[in-house]
Amino acid sequence: MKKILITAVLLTCFLGFSQQKSIDQKVNALLKQMTLEEKIGQLNQYTGDNQATGPITINPNKEAEIKAGLIGSMLNVLGTKYTRQYQELAMQSRLKIPLLFGQDVIHGYKTTFPLPLAEAASWDLEAMELSARIAATEASASGIHWTFAPMVDISRDPRWGRVMEGAGEDTYLGSKIAYARVKGFQGNHLGDINSVMACVKHFAAYGAAVGGRDYNSVDMSDRMLWETYLPPFKSALDAGAATFMNSFNDLNGIPATGNKYLQRDILKGKWNFQGFVVSDWGSIGEMINHGYAKDGKEAALSAITAGSDMDMESNAYRNNLAQLVKEKKVSMALIDDAVKRILRKKFELGLFDDPYKYCNPEREQAALNNPEHRKAARDIAAKSIVLLKNDKGVLPLSKETKTIAFIGPLVKEHKQNMGFWSVELPEVNYDKEIVSQWEGLQNKVENSTKLLYAKGCEIEGDNKDGFAEAIAVANQADVVILSIGERRDMSGEAKSRSSLRLPGVQEDLIKAIQATGKPIVVLINAGRPLIFNWTADNVPAIVYTWWLGTEAGNAIADVLFGDYNPSGKLPMSFPREEGQIPVYYNHFITGRPAPNETATNYVSAYTDLKNSPKFPFGYGLSYTTFTYSDLKLSKNKIKSNETIEVSVTITNSGKVAGEEVVQLYLRDKVGSVVRPIIELKDFQKIKLNAGEAKTIKFSINKEKLSFYNAALEWVAEPGDFDLMIGSSSSDIRLKTAFELEN
């Protein structure tokens, strides 16, 4: 059997090599036939007209340029009808090179899944891969070849609106999620009919924008870059990511779009990335605004030299590359390398064999109306919900509760549940497509239960005229559910906020309802961590629902009534005040640590605020309880070529079945550079029935003990390590130590 498996692996490798060799031969043959203008055309991407966003460049000659082979890719073209129309134009070109169609399929296509940050809260890698798999199935059936996802930027600043698009603050968790999402989008094989190319973004360090302000500068050490911000990109590359997108920010004074160190030295050099790099929207031209290039010609020179292969919407390549080649400022070898990378992907997708491969209307309708997709969306949405507080067991609610008051500006909303960066198809009625929270509650309770509603207030503004009705409704109920939060477009690109408080008078509404003395459950809908200190301190039950997508109402009802026991854990720390930001769990201890978190005797702390977040990384409650015991190590000392096996027993000590995310943290106690106070190095999500116990195992090897030293060498230094197992970064249940010997 072993020989058979080895033979199969070798055969697969040989076939893969042969196929790639064949594709390379086809690419080289085609390249020899192309004029310089046609080559540059492959590096040029335009937006379509049927769902255009952003600062669009108006081009009345778009169709003529496609026929002339001067456009290689388009974005924002939705549906087989339109992708086929544009592809038919491309087939009128001299060489009949097919177009690539890209789209921001960030968290679903027709079926909208939870925001990526919300999905990260599930800590369920299989669920996240499935979410991306379904999104790819629907998008590819609609003529899309390529999604501009996943975003793998590490972010420690919730003021930055794009935190909703990523996996949060932790490098290890973010790397695991990046791998899962790429696998989900691309499936078993690039070119399969239900696969789309992933585009890993934004390369690199965009999540560390100064002040949490979108498009802003980033300034950090190389060691911070390599240790914290680059690993998720490398993980996505290891998963086989077809493309990368560079970022809007400058990094240490050099715009990422024109950054040779990032794109040529690291990505295409050290990491040997064979796919292609696309600019972010207009980012080549924006190097003029940065003050890095004096005009479009200089910007094009900088970008192509640095390794940016495709120009999204700036026209810098289209207008300037030919002249730069004639002036011998750009070599033909640079142009050819970029064109080869793009053509190779078109061949891998099978577009030269069948340009209309992804343009089948029947398959489109079947994929967009698959009921299994909604079932998965409901399950993943429930897994993404985080129970922040549940004093006195207010939750779960009984389905036989006589009267429930459902109050707040988001109770009956439909499209709000989609969140930001969702695809809006013109033919879809989202008021019918999306399950509102009100409808979810109606679907769940018994016919004998009376549901009362009051809006109470708007999301923004200072009008309290609706408070009286809301209070009157609350007084009639046995329990009150309040649904409050952001609008869906308050988190996302260009949605940086200096204040993270609940908008408008929503917290005043909570205070007014709390004063009735009724049991209260607050649902917080948002795309980022918010600050709601009064609510956190005074309301008995708080559920963080993020934005959950198509099945939001049903998933929320599943959790409220205990049909799904919440298992989500926070992928980002929630600050107490904006003045704490950035606040993250894996910080350095400093030379003057604050033992009591407050400044008393010249220690690293605030005089008016605790250092700790309001809710820490990895935190989330359940309707049951879990007991940790019997932490054992296979050995207490290891050499660098050895592994420690870790075992721990988890017992469901409560009365209902539930899932627990068991988190393993390490601390390198002494290093040649200072090390974080605690670092996530592994986790497992397990499900246990009431009273059930399970022993789970982890492995600790040299890789998990390594870090970048001052010389940017990846090393594991001999010394003592603390090993911690817990339910969150601040809820460590068991602790031990071991030594890495010299």
Side-chain angles (χ1 to χ4, degrees):
M1 180 60 70
K2 187 175 181 180
K3 290 181 179 179
I4 293 173
L5 288 173
I6 292 172
T7 302
V9 170
L10 290 174
L11 181 61
T12 300
C13 292
F14 174 76
L15 291 174
F17 174 77
S18 299
Q19 182 186 33
Q20 192 59 57
K21 184 178 180 181
S22 174
I23 288 176
D24 287 343
Q25 290 172 340
K26 293 176 181 178
V27 168
N28 289 331
L30 179 57
L31 199 68
K32 290 178 182 178
Q33 303 177 54
M34 298 174 71
T35 66
L36 175 60
E37 288 71 22
E38 287 170 332
K39 290 178 180 180
I40 294 170
Q42 289 302 301
L43 314 184
N44 185 28
Q45 184 181 59
Y46 281 161
T47 187
D49 300 320
N50 69 322
Q51 198 196 24
T53 59
I56 300 160
T57 303
I58 302 299
N59 181 6
N61 300 316
K62 189 180 300 179
E63 293 189 3
E65 290 185 19
I66 294 173
K67 291 179 183 179
L70 302 181
I71 298 176
S73 175
M74 298 187 73
L75 72 160
N76 292 329
V77 181
L78 300 179
T80 58
K81 174 184 176 181
Y82 296 103
T83 56
R84 187 177 188 94
Q85 286 175 0
Y86 279 118
Q87 201 69 285
E88 286 173 347
L89 294 175
M91 290 303 101
Q92 297 178 45
S93 64
R94 185 177 74 91
L95 295 175
K96 296 179 171 51
I97 299 175
L99 293 168
L100 275 178
F101 295 106
Q103 182 65 32
D104 286 288
V105 184
I106 307 301
H107 54 110
Y109 189 71
K110 182 191 177 190
T111 305
T112 307
F113 289 88
L115 302 176
L117 185 63
E119 284 193 347
S122 76
W123 292 56
D124 190 322
L125 300 176
E126 290 184 2
M128 285 180 263
E129 183 174 339
L130 177 60
S131 165
R133 182 90 293 277
I134 291 172
T137 299
E138 293 185 357
S140 62
S142 300
I144 306 300
H145 310 134
W146 180 23
T147 174
F148 303 124
M151 189 191 93
V152 303
D153 297 308
I154 297 300
S155 180
R156 297 166 166 178
D157 192 336
R159 294 174 299 179
W160 188 48
R162 296 194 83 162
V163 299
M164 55 73 54
E165 209 175 331
E169 72 185 46
D170 183 68
T171 301
Y172 181 83
L173 178 61
S175 296
K176 291 291 187 181
I177 292 173
Y179 191 97
R181 286 182 169 150
V182 169
K183 285 294 185 183
F185 284 128
Q186 297 192 172
N188 295 325
H189 180 262
L190 205 62
D192 286 348
I193 197 67
N194 60 356
S195 170
V196 295
M197 294 195 302
C199 184
V200 188
K201 62 185 188 184
H202 307 83
F203 201 65
Y206 188 29
V210 174
R213 200 167 73 242
D214 217 349
Y215 318 119
N216 206 7
S217 299
V218 172
D219 200 352
M220 68 172 58
S221 68
D222 275 350
R223 195 171 70 83
M224 180 68 76
L225 175 70
W226 279 91
E227 190 163 292
T228 301
Y229 290 89
L230 288 184
F233 290 96
K234 181 58 166 62
S235 182
L237 188 151
D238 291 342
T243 69
F244 271 58
M245 179 185 289
N246 54 43
S247 53
F248 286 117
N249 59 283
D250 67 89
L251 178 63
N252 302 332
I254 300 177
T257 309
N259 198 309
K260 178 178 177 292
Y261 176 62
L262 289 175
Q263 295 172 107
R264 291 233 181 260
D265 296 352
I266 297 175
L267 182 59
K268 295 180 176 179
K270 186 177 180 67
W271 292 355
N272 193 32
F273 174 59
Q274 295 299 306
F276 68 87
V277 178
V278 63
S279 77
D280 209 335
W281 188 294
S283 68
I284 295 178
E286 288 174 13
M287 287 194 287
I288 302 169
N289 294 340
H290 276 282
Y292 189 73
K294 68 178 181 181
D295 54 28
K297 186 177 180 182
E298 197 169 282
L301 173 62
S302 175
I304 195 71
T305 303
S308 187
D309 300 307
M310 183 178 285
D311 176 5
M312 181 192 291
E313 273 291 308
S314 83
N315 285 312
Y317 284 0
R318 174 178 173 271
N319 294 335
N320 299 286
L321 277 185
Q323 185 63 32
L324 287 166
V325 171
K326 291 172 184 175
E327 293 174 359
K328 300 188 183 304
K329 292 179 180 178
V330 171
S331 69
M332 187 60 76
L334 272 185
I335 301 292
D336 285 351
D337 177 66
V339 175
K340 283 181 180 180
R341 290 170 178 271
I342 294 164
L343 291 179
R344 192 178 295 125
K345 294 307 172 189
K346 292 184 178 184
F347 273 108
E348 288 176 10
L349 288 170
L351 293 175
F352 281 94
D353 295 327
D354 180 5
Y356 310 112
K357 177 180 178 180
Y358 300 88
C359 296
N360 185 316
E362 290 77 20
R363 192 171 75 86
E364 179 179 27
Q365 287 306 307
L368 297 190
N369 295 288
N370 186 337
E372 294 302 313
H373 294 179
R374 293 189 72 106
K375 290 179 183 178
R378 181 170 181 166
D379 178 62
I380 295 170
K383 289 177 176 177
S384 302
I385 292 170
V386 182
L387 179 62
L388 295 181
K389 191 176 179 183
N390 191 24
D391 287 356
K392 300 178 181 178
V394 172
L395 292 172
L397 302 175
S398 169
K399 295 174 188 174
E400 298 177 355
T401 304
K402 291 182 179 180
T403 306
I404 299 173
F406 207 176
I407 296 170
L410 293 164
V411 172
K412 293 192 174 183
E413 290 288 342
H414 289 89
K415 286 181 68 173
Q416 291 291 343
N417 292 290
M418 296 175 72
F420 200 79
W421 271 132
S422 50
V423 178
E424 293 190 39
L425 302 175
E427 67 273 17
V428 175
N429 182 342
Y430 286 98
D431 286 340
K432 293 183 178 179
E433 178 73 14
I434 296 174
V435 182
S436 71
Q437 296 170 24
W438 176 259
E439 291 164 345
L441 210 65
Q442 286 181 316
N443 295 339
K444 183 65 63 175
V445 298
E446 303 290 343
N447 292 334
S448 58
T449 299
K450 186 176 182 181
L451 295 181
L452 305 176
Y453 165 74
K455 190 171 186 178
C457 66
E458 300 294 337
I459 294 172
E460 292 186 286
D462 57 6
N463 191 325
K464 298 183 180 181
D465 291 348
F467 279 28
E469 180 190 9
I471 292 169
V473 165
N475 279 322
Q476 299 174 53
D478 298 306
V479 64
V480 180
I481 306 170
L482 281 145
S483 183
I484 49 88
E486 299 182 308
R487 284 195 323 272
R488 69 181 181 123
D489 61 356
M490 294 176 86
S491 286
E493 184 175 352
K495 307 300 179 185
S496 300
R497 290 179 58 190
S498 64
S499 171
L500 299 179
R501 311 297 163 130
L502 289 170
V505 295
Q506 292 182 95
E507 197 153 43
D508 289 337
L509 175 63
I510 297 170
K511 292 177 182 179
I513 302 303
Q514 173 79 352
T516 65
K518 299 289 184 176
I520 292 178
V521 179
V522 170
L523 312 178
I524 301 180
N525 307 266
R528 49 150 63 95
L530 295 178
I531 295 172
F532 43 94
N533 290 325
W534 188 93
T535 299
D537 293 340
N538 293 279
V539 170
I542 304 172
V543 182
Y544 217 80
T545 60
W546 313 96
W547 289 121
L548 296 174
T550 300
E551 285 288 320
N554 285 331
I556 290 170
D558 287 341
V559 167
L560 289 178
F561 290 92
D563 288 334
Y564 182 83
N565 187 348
S567 62
K569 302 280 187 176
L570 296 179
M572 284 190 77
S573 304
F574 278 44
R576 297 175 186 273
E577 303 286 347
E578 290 88 357
Q580 274 186 305
I581 298 169
V583 57
Y584 49 94
Y585 84 98
N586 52 346
H587 56 82
F588 300 139
I589 193 169
T590 83
R592 293 190 178 188
N596 298 314
E597 294 196 280
T598 54
T600 52
N601 294 303
Y602 298 96
V603 294
S604 180
Y606 300 102
T607 60
D608 57 350
L609 189 68
K610 290 182 178 181
N611 283 359
S612 63
K614 190 69 175 179
F615 298 102
F617 173 81
Y619 172 84
L621 301 177
S622 169
Y623 294 151
T624 190
T625 55
F626 298 95
T627 302
Y628 289 57
S629 62
D630 298 327
L631 174 60
K632 296 176 182 177
L633 305 185
S634 61
K635 56 186 75 174
N636 294 319
K637 294 183 179 181
I638 60 168
K639 295 180 173 61
S640 60
N641 62 344
E642 296 178 328
T643 297
I644 292 178
E645 299 299 329
V646 182
S647 67
V648 61
T649 299
I650 312 298
T651 303
N652 183 340
S653 49
K655 297 180 179 179
V656 295
E659 295 168 283
E660 172 71 332
V661 180
V662 183
Q663 302 162 43
L664 184 151
Y665 295 89
L666 294 179
R667 182 188 174 199
D668 188 346
K669 298 186 75 171
V670 178
S672 61
V673 294
V674 294
R675 304 303 303 136
I677 191 169
I678 185 173
E679 293 180 278
L680 180 72
K681 289 296 182 179
D682 212 339
F683 64 89
Q684 289 187 40
K685 188 168 188 176
I686 60 172
K687 185 173 183 178
L688 297 172
N689 293 320
E692 183 183 2
K694 183 177 182 179
T695 298
I696 60 175
K697 295 183 178 181
F698 299 97
S699 294
I700 304 296
N701 55 21
K702 178 184 176 182
E703 183 70 15
K704 288 185 178 175
L705 305 180
S706 297
F707 61 91
Y708 287 99
N709 64 14
L712 290 184
E713 298 165 325
W714 183 245
V715 297
E717 296 178 346
D720 295 326
F721 291 80
D722 287 333
L723 184 150
M724 296 152 278
I725 304 280
S727 188
S728 82
S729 60
S730 66
D731 183 10
I732 301 301
R733 307 289 181 87
L734 299 170
K735 183 177 179 180
T736 188
F738 64 90
E739 180 184 352
L740 176 64
E741 294 182 315
N742 194 340

